[in-house]
Amino acid sequence: MRQYLLDEIPKEGMERVREHLQARSLPSGLEEIFWLELPSDLLDPVQWEHRACGPHYLAIELGKNFIKFEFLVRARNRFRCDCIRYANPAQENFLMQFAHTLIEALDLKT
């Protein structure tokens, strides 16, 4: 799995991250997994054609002292489809911007 990993985050930082994600992203139904929905203008042509499979999102996983930002674009209403694929450069940039904004906003020490 391609991912961006932030690790060695102190407990207090992880608590702030959890609270932030619970307030601003979609819960996945699994503890410690959150979904970051892709804006429709970032969908690639296949994902745009498959809007019924969506919403399309990127997963964020929280661990004891880490945050994993996954680069696999998933679809809420399908497990297997051509629209589920690794992020294109614009989608990767969206995820990285989200991660960097999170680091700055919560003053995370990694």
Side-chain angles (χ1 to χ4, degrees):
M1 173 70 64
R2 291 185 223 162
Q3 58 197 354
Y4 178 58
L5 176 68
L6 300 175
D7 62 357
E8 299 183 22
I9 301 170
K11 183 179 178 181
E12 316 77 57
M14 289 304 301
E15 290 170 1
R16 291 193 309 271
V17 170
R18 264 185 207 87
E19 291 171 6
H20 182 86
L21 291 177
Q22 287 170 344
R24 291 172 181 82
S25 64
L26 299 171
S28 69
L30 299 171
E31 191 174 334
E32 308 300 344
I33 305 287
F34 297 89
W35 292 342
L36 178 62
E37 189 171 338
L38 282 173
S40 60
D41 64 328
L42 290 181
L43 298 178
D44 72 19
V46 173
Q47 292 161 344
W48 183 255
E49 288 176 15
H50 290 229
R51 287 187 310 268
C53 296
H56 292 83
Y57 61 90
L58 299 158
I60 302 169
E61 178 184 350
L62 303 184
K64 183 177 177 179
N65 67 347
F66 69 84
I67 310 168
K68 263 193 248 184
F69 299 90
E70 295 183 358
F71 288 112
L72 180 66
V73 177
R74 301 167 192 261
R76 172 105 185 216
N77 294 314
R78 297 269 173 129
F79 287 113
R80 294 174 196 240
C81 185
D82 291 340
C83 67
I84 299 169
R85 55 183 61 199
Y86 279 106
N88 64 35
Q91 294 165 342
E92 285 182 11
N93 187 50
F94 172 75
L95 181 61
M96 294 302 292
Q97 236 2 73
F98 181 86
H100 289 254
T101 300
L102 183 72
I103 292 166
E104 289 178 14
L106 301 179
D107 192 30
L108 293 180
K109 307 292 185 224
T110 58

